[in-house]
Amino acid sequence: MSAQDSCLSLIKYLLFVFNLFFFVLGSLIFCFGIWILIDKTSFVSFVGLSFVPLQIWSKALAISGILTMGLALLGCVGALKELRCLLGLYFGILLLLFATQITLGILISTQRMRLERRVKDIVMETIQNYRSRPEESAAEESWDYVQFQLRCCGWNSPRDWFSIPSLISNESEVHRVPCSCYNSSATNDSAVFDKLSFPQFSRLRPLARPRHSTDLCVVPANSNIYNEGCARSLQKWLHDNLISIVGICLGVGLLELSFMTLSIFLCRNLDQVYDRLARYR
């Protein structure tokens, strides 16, 4: 066996092993998404989250898993069986993904102000329509989760919630905000903490109350709530995690470039291998 044949054999099995790993990873992501979709209650008790729109996340994970498995299968079979058509298709899909990521990065960097305005409009619309339609609450639950995780309230400040019809009480002039604005670390009031947790779990406990409950979990605006708006908190989070985000994007891009290089090199050199085999016959 010549040095070139040894090199091609090494590339072939490297491509196969790497894609086999991503096939297993894709199957795990798919199974994870199906688990969330089928058994929401167990997932919530496992991770400790209560008001994420799980159905959306589970479908996204399942679809991502299927796509990862399909792409990895192309790479595995194409490399192991030395099929030029599959290797070419594998290279084409990776090239399309890489070009899409580059385009998205350019659009985000050049249209940043427009994107910020669009996000602000979506958030303000979600806040304005908060709990006005209990049967369509996925966006509102997502925003509750953002406030809970980023430790913020409203987009600009908690005052964004003061004019929301569903939160205005006729019995009191005190402004109210959702429980996701409550700063539970600033107090040891277990009663308020219980109030925070129970309504969000209600959608995952059909035996406790109906799926689309009209009960609201609210706290007075003059209690221990987060005073910072989520716009500033989101900017801080992006600034603090900028290196990690850029590193992940660069890592994914380099990985895709490596796979594209290996696949196109193997695909282009298969003709030479076939010619040498034909001469030996």
Side-chain angles (χ1 to χ4, degrees), residues 115-237:
L115 181 62
E116 289 178 358
R117 288 195 299 268
R118 179 57 180 162
V119 171
K120 179 182 178 180
D121 292 342
I122 294 174
V123 171
M124 294 304 295
E125 182 181 358
T126 300
I127 291 175
Q128 190 64 37
N129 296 325
Y130 189 78
R131 300 304 183 190
S132 59
R133 291 174 293 182
E135 69 280 358
E136 299 178 6
S137 58
E140 297 155 11
E141 290 180 351
S142 297
W143 184 243
D144 272 332
Y145 180 65
V146 169
Q147 291 188 144
F148 181 77
Q149 289 294 329
L150 295 182
R151 300 176 180 272
C152 56
C153 188
W155 179 252
N156 300 300
S157 71
R159 298 184 66 86
D160 293 337
W161 292 104
F162 291 176
S163 60
I164 306 306
S166 60
L167 301 183
I168 297 176
S169 174
N170 297 326
E171 302 174 357
S172 173
E173 296 182 357
V174 177
H175 295 295
R176 304 190 302 175
V177 296
C179 283
S180 55
C181 289
Y182 185 74
N183 187 359
S184 58
S185 61
T187 179
N188 293 322
D189 189 353
S190 60
V192 177
F193 185 79
D194 291 340
K195 187 181 179 185
L196 259 170
S197 302
F198 180 73
Q200 282 81 10
F201 271 102
S202 63
R203 292 188 64 205
L204 303 169
R205 292 180 182 172
L207 298 178
R209 63 177 64 183
R211 172 180 170 82
H212 303 297
S213 174
T214 57
D215 292 345
L216 285 175
C217 180
V218 294
V219 292
N222 56 7
S223 61
N224 294 296
I225 65 171
Y226 302 116
N227 294 314
E228 189 174 60
C230 291
R232 182 172 297 178
S233 295
L234 186 59
Q235 289 176 352
K236 288 182 179 178
W237 183 88

Side-chain angles (χ1 to χ4, degrees), residues 19 71 89-99 255-261 263:
N19 280 281
L71 183 59
L89 182 60
Y90 176 77
F91 172 82
I93 295 175
L94 281 178
L95 182 62
L96 180 62
L97 287 174
F98 186 75
L255 199 63
E256 290 173 345
L257 281 175
S258 301
F259 286 164
M260 283 192 291
T261 303
S263 61

Side-chain angles (χ1 to χ4, degrees), residues 2 5 13 52 75 140 160 162 166 189 193 242 244 267 279:
S2 65
D5 292 340
Y13 287 109
V52 189
E140 297 155 11
D160 293 337
F162 291 176
S166 60
D189 189 353
F193 185 79
L242 182 61
S244 300
C267 187
R279 293 196 206 103

